[in-house]
Amino acid sequence: MKPSLLDFTLKELQANIKPSFRAKQIYGWLYHNYAQNFDQMKNIPQVLKNELAKSYIVDPLKVVKKEISNDGTIKYLFELQDAKTIETVWLKMKDELKDEDGNVTQEAKYTICVSTQVGCKVGCAFCLTAKGGFTRDLTAAEIVAQVVALKRDNDHKHNRMINIVYMGMGEPLDNLANLSRAIEIFKEEEGLCISGKRQTVSTSGLSNKIDRLGEMDLGVHIAISLHAVDDELRTELIPMNKAHNISSIIEAVKRFPIDTRKRVMFEYLVIKDKNDDLGSAKKLVKLLTGIKAKVNLIYFNPYPDTPYERPHKSDMIAFQEYLINHGLLCTIRDSKGIDISAACGQLKEQTQNELK
Ligand code: SAH
Ligand code: SF4
């Protein structure tokens, strides 16, 4: 497999492509024009393009399926060079605002939910991605290309801001080398210029890797998939909790460099009769004491053959009220794209069944 040009920082390209202003022009084609092949790079000499094409490809992704939801969520299934597939989701977070004359006063805001692996090693009991096991890590280019592809497909100009959440398929911290490279490439001023503040790494809680990510000082946010307040239930849901238990995660979070104006997000997947009671809410408040935390409650999204059930709305709201009344910030994640197989892994699973 040839590497993609999206695998490199501008400096690295400049080291390989002479004269170096050509590298900058190519960077523009990649990140400002979202070029997918060498032919599109009009002002680059053909000899140089021929030479580069011997060693590199441009776009490592091919769209194989696209589902558009009523609420503006778009879910993409991409095929990689080795025919493996991954998902990426385009989420509309805020609608466009207009004044009485119809002029746009604020543009719509979007977040892209990115995958970091084909499959996942963590094996969470509630997660569809886990069912297929682990296939391989994504390269940095394959992570970067997801964002480029979605911006291209949605006609989203390079200088319009976008947020990235590493919440698609895979455990980002299990692919830390390629993840951190992708984060740096996203930050490139001559590229997409997406600051660390706009990038959130969601992890199932590899505590030692939370420390490593913190030491890299990339300026990114973290979100912790906590889902349970005692180790017994957490180990049932996330088997590697045995090695990285709740207290080791909390300690790692306390060491993580956090922007003083920001909070660490704790994701809490709510499952009926498992962790939706106020006793759990009480323990959660205690656990997060002393951390600038924000809790995001997520409805468990059922799929065929899962033993777990979606919680009642009333229990969800009671849980949220308890947290808020005890001083925690708490939101309920609205089930964006519920009509298009919303949770991670579900589009891939569905397509595989259709192909069978
Ligand atoms: N591996 C990382 C990031 C990707 S997981 C992590 O676990 O944090 C993506 C998100 O999907 C997580 O927040 C997870 O809790 C959620 N998720 C997985 N299965 C789900 C399901 N069946 N219903 C709702 N959310 C689910
Ligand atoms: Fe992996 Fe996250 Fe799914 Fe757990 S929830 S199996 S860590 S992708």
Side-chain angles (χ1 to χ4, degrees), residues 220-270:
V220 291
H221 291 307
I222 46 167
I224 306 292
S225 289
L226 193 64
H227 308 331
V229 286
D230 55 71
D231 281 316
E232 195 185 336
L233 176 61
R234 196 163 191 278
T235 303
E236 175 193 321
L237 298 176
I238 311 175
M240 63 112 195
N241 186 67
K242 272 205 187 96
H244 302 273
N245 66 13
I246 295 177
S247 68
S248 76
I249 296 170
I250 298 289
E251 289 313 310
V253 167
K254 286 182 178 162
R255 290 189 290 267
F256 194 85
I258 297 156
D259 186 323
T260 47
R261 290 156 300 178
K262 292 286 178 176
R263 293 169 182 271
V264 179
M265 160 116 86
F266 286 85
E267 291 160 290
Y268 189 91
L269 182 75
V270 187

Side-chain angles (χ1 to χ4, degrees), residues 126-128 166-168 170-172 202-204 225 227 267 269 298-301 303 333 343-344 346:
F126 53 82
C127 175
L128 256 184
Y166 297 93
M167 281 186 197
E171 167 50 52
S202 173
T203 176
S204 54
S225 289
H227 308 331
E267 291 160 290
L269 182 75
I298 308 165
Y299 280 98
F300 172 68
N301 200 10
Y303 48 87
R333 185 186 293 175
C344 78
Q346 296 195 348

Side-chain angles (χ1 to χ4, degrees), residues 6 59-61 78 140-150 152 186:
L6 300 173
D59 186 1
L61 304 180
F78 288 110
E142 288 165 340
I143 298 173
V144 170
Q146 294 172 59
V147 173
V148 174
L150 268 61
R152 179 197 301 120
F186 283 134

